[in-house]
Amino acid sequence: MKTVVETKTYNNFINNEWIASVSGEVITSINPANKEAIGYVQKSTEEELNQAVEAAHQAKKAWRKLGQAARGQLLFQTANILESRIDEIAETMTKEMGKTLPEAKGETARGIAILRYYAGEGMRKDGDVIPSTDKDALMFTKRTPLGVVGIITPWNFPVAIPIWKIAPALVYGNTVVFKPASEAAVTAAKVVECFAEAGFPEGVLNFVTGSGSVIGQGLIDHPKLNAITFTGSESVGQSVAKAAAARGIKFQLEMGGKNPVIVTKNANLDQAVNEVINGGFRSSGQKCTATSRVIVESEVYHEFKQKLVEASEKITVGNGLEEDVWMGPCASESQFNTFKNYIEIGKNEGARLIHGGEVLTGGEYDNGFFVQPAIFEEVSPDMTIAQEEIFGPVIALIRAANLEEAIELANNTKYGLSASIFTTDISSILEFIDEIEAGLVRINAESAGVELQAPFGGMKASSTGSREQGEAAKEFYTAIKTVFIKGS
Ligand SMILES: NC(=O)C1=CN([C@@H]2O[C@H](COP(=O)(O)OP(=O)(O)OC[C@H]3O[C@@H](n4cnc5c(N)ncnc54)[C@H](OP(=O)(O)O)[C@@H]3O)[C@@H](O)[C@H]2O)C=CC1
Ligand SMILES: O=C(O)CCC(=O)C(=O)O
């Protein structure tokens, strides 16, 4: 059953009030399946940004003093409200950025689970007792919030990523200014509505939409901001890091990936094919954990390739709201152009396109950003399509003589987010776990697939080394006070 999703204008949420920007201008959010407007958000100015940061700054003391348990209760409340709106919010996500409805529902359900996980943190310890060398003293650590946290998110997981940043920020006692990606800001506004309805005190969560260069950059540069967390492109991430480091505030970045999958000669090839397709083409390949390079041992290369192409031919592409559609459109015109560009680069550099890569035309395809997933072979390690993050449904097949060479090829990029191996050999598994340069190491499983209770993040240029989600979030969103007490 489809819900009715209204096309309306969403305001900023500042100090618990929904307020329009003084600019009088809005940004239109477009459905990539048919180019229709699905809603409008504020094209905010520095004035609203300043109001939001000031509100968060004013709210931080009372919010910290409310205590962790009470803060957790508000997250439970938010989870229940989001759960009651799961169908509508998932449908909005599909309409706004194209992923299929089951994927959007799965992501929204994950958002609810993340809220409940961090709500539970409200009742967990916020420090440790440590023995002092002075037998008459009590020494312990106490976690304390950072203050005002800025949150900048991308469009590819418009529910899960904002929630996995906002929920721990709030439960550990920070106040928040959240700037979503413009391309998925309507979905983000609906998530914020759930927080708003839960009844957080004024100024605790603030939401400001607008361009990355004005609101995103202005947020990072704001003197009252105490920390910033960002997920998105490497180029913007690096400028976030520079600005934050220059001001001496804590920062956390999650950026790109060029995630490899290794298939060894003794792998279960049917399982490998299935998971490579899921990892490479689900969400139209627009995940930082998406599979983009598949390195196959020579003995099974031809059999694997044949099975992969056969399975890819069965993929149905269309509007993600339709039941029989497996892959939706690219999320935007810009993603669509990026896909087309990399297909041309691949061909021009001498890789062989053995499946897909075309823009789909005719009927509903003419109205949206639909492409056929692509598989290249004869990809050499130095080619652009073997090195740069494409963020689209493109897989590069690379042949390796043995496991050692496969791991060397896998590590031969600047990124290190996620990596998988398909094999039945325990020694190969152990070697892979030891040698692979990736934050997420997956055995006989697709390269994507993040679990909310486990640390998430990459090595090398994929992140700043810190981890999000699970207990790891506490490390970023808090500072430690070491307390030493002695009687007088
Ligand atoms: N690691 C990941 O999960 C993601 C990686 N990417 C990669 O980035 C490419 C481009 O996607 P895109 O959406 O443009 O990614 P961006 O990095 O440009 O956008 C991510 C977020 O940063 C904001 N932003 C943009 N410019 C600035 C700035 N100067 N200062 C502060 N914030 C800013 C954006 O706002 P606004 O939307 O208003 O521009 C958005 O909220 C993709 O093709 C993909 O390769 C993209 C998304 C997620
Ligand atoms: O694979 C996932 O579930 C999350 C990936 C992610 O964080 C991203 O693509 O930005």
Side-chain angles (χ1 to χ4, degrees):
M1 190 190 72
K2 302 257 164 62
T3 50
V4 178
V5 175
E6 269 179 274
T7 308
K8 68 171 204 183
T9 301
Y10 294 83
N11 287 341
N12 293 319
F13 186 65
I14 300 172
N15 217 19
N16 278 7
E17 280 185 59
W18 292 96
I19 304 169
S21 168
V22 292
S23 73
E25 290 181 68
V26 290
I27 299 171
T28 308
S29 194
I30 301 288
N31 183 340
N34 54 25
K35 300 184 191 162
E36 284 172 8
I38 75 132
Y40 307 90
V41 296
Q42 301 302 308
K43 189 171 179 184
S44 308
T45 64
E46 277 188 13
E47 190 169 327
E48 290 86 46
L49 177 65
N50 288 337
Q51 284 169 9
V53 179
E54 190 55 41
H57 177 73
Q58 292 300 330
K60 68 185 185 183
K61 187 168 180 186
W63 181 239
R64 171 166 55 79
K65 285 188 169 295
L66 184 66
Q68 200 157 306
R71 294 194 295 260
Q73 286 306 314
L74 285 162
L75 292 182
F76 275 125
Q77 195 60 22
T78 312
N80 295 343
I81 297 162
L82 180 58
E83 193 163 45
S84 72
R85 294 181 61 181
I86 184 169
D87 290 333
E88 172 221 338
I89 291 181
E91 191 179 323
T92 303
M93 190 190 315
T94 297
K95 287 185 166 172
E96 191 168 34
M97 55 70 66
K99 73 174 64 168
T100 63
L101 194 55
E103 287 176 281
K105 263 199 189 162
E107 184 188 332
T108 312
R110 185 164 139 199
I112 296 161
I114 297 168
L115 282 163
R116 292 195 171 127
Y117 176 89
Y118 286 108
E121 275 294 283
M123 299 297 274
R124 294 195 192 103
K125 66 174 188 167
D126 69 348
D128 294 299
V129 174
I130 298 162
S132 166
T133 49
D134 182 338
K135 68 175 178 41
D136 298 322
L138 170 65
M139 188 163 69
F140 63 93
T141 59
K142 182 174 168 51
R143 298 244 172 205
T144 188
L146 305 175
V148 180
V149 174
I151 293 181
I152 301 180
T153 58
W155 42 264
N156 62 335
F157 284 88
V159 169
I161 295 180
I163 291 179
W164 86 46
K165 292 177 187 292
I166 294 172
L170 293 181
V171 81
Y172 297 129
N174 304 282
T175 55
V176 165
V177 178
F178 166 37
K179 185 250 173 280
S182 299
E183 272 156 19
V186 170
T187 309
K190 291 189 176 205
V191 170
V192 172
E193 284 175 349
C194 298
F195 281 92
E197 200 185 323
F200 285 79
E202 282 175 6
V204 167
L205 174 64
N206 304 277
F207 170 72
V208 185
T209 55
S211 80
S213 54
V214 176
I215 303 304
Q217 191 64 48
L219 181 58
I220 302 155
D221 292 338
H222 201 289
K224 288 189 173 160
L225 195 78
N226 303 110
I228 181 91
T229 172
F230 168 88
T231 300
S233 65
E234 199 197 339
S235 57
V236 175
Q238 280 172 353
S239 70
V240 170
K242 278 187 201 134
R247 291 197 32 232
I249 62 170
K250 204 169 177 183
F251 62 93
Q252 174 185 59
L253 312 177
E254 291 301 340
M255 300 169 292
K258 191 68 193 166
N259 311 299
V261 168
I262 293 176
V263 181
T264 68
K265 55 181 180 283
N266 46 31
N268 174 337
L269 292 190
D270 291 322
Q271 181 193 33
V273 163
N274 193 35
E275 298 301 326
V276 162
I277 284 183
N278 282 331
F281 300 148
R282 279 281 182 207
S283 283
S284 307
Q286 299 166 133
K287 297 182 187 178
C288 57
T289 50
T291 301
S292 67
R293 295 175 298 144
V294 185
I295 302 159
V296 188
E297 268 195 275
S298 295
E299 280 101 319
V300 291
Y301 182 84
H302 284 291
E303 192 185 348
F304 176 82
K305 176 177 98 173
Q306 197 181 349
K307 283 175 182 276
L308 183 69
V309 171
E310 273 168 23
S312 301
E313 276 161 1
K314 296 190 187 124
I315 290 175
T316 48
V317 181
N319 186 328
L321 291 179
E322 305 300 331
E323 263 175 26
D324 57 349
V325 164
W326 191 92
M327 191 182 100
C330 298
S332 63
E333 187 166 13
S334 147
Q335 288 300 120
F336 178 66
N337 290 336
T338 303
F339 172 88
K340 290 190 287 182
N341 195 26
Y342 275 109
I343 297 296
E344 285 316 304
I345 292 173
K347 287 188 205 162
N348 292 340
E349 289 188 353
R352 203 156 77 87
L353 185 62
I354 54 170
H355 172 77
E358 289 116 42
V359 168
L360 292 165
T361 53
E364 69 161 1
Y365 289 145
D366 289 339
N367 301 324
F369 305 120
F370 296 100
V371 300
Q372 207 179 11
I375 304 171
F376 278 103
E377 72 167 345
E378 288 166 24
V379 178
S380 58
D382 53 341
M383 282 183 187
T384 308
I385 59 165
Q387 290 295 332
E388 290 185 9
E389 180 179 51
I390 296 177
F391 227 62
V394 182
I395 283 174
L397 284 182
I398 302 173
R399 212 189 283 240
N402 51 40
L403 181 67
E404 192 186 349
E405 191 192 9
I407 294 177
E408 203 178 302
L409 287 165
N411 285 338
N412 180 27
T413 72
K414 63 179 171 178
Y415 295 111
L417 187 55
S418 166
S420 304
I421 189 168
F422 288 86
T423 185
T424 49
D425 176 44
I426 185 74
S427 313
S428 303
I429 293 174
L430 295 173
E431 179 73 1
F432 180 75
I433 295 169
D434 258 5
E435 295 299 325
I436 198 72
E437 294 165 0
L440 276 183
V441 180
R442 316 248 313 153
I443 316 298
N444 294 321
E446 64 165 294
S447 62
V450 169
E451 299 219 22
L452 64 99
Q453 69 281 23
F456 171 58
M459 293 167 75
K460 304 197 285 190
S462 290
S463 76
T464 35
S466 66
R467 294 289 180 263
E468 298 193 271
Q469 305 198 59
E471 282 185 36
K474 198 187 273 186
E475 297 305 326
F476 178 70
Y477 291 104
T478 62
I480 293 176
K481 285 181 177 171
T482 302
V483 183
F484 178 90
I485 310 179
K486 203 164 173 193
S488 55

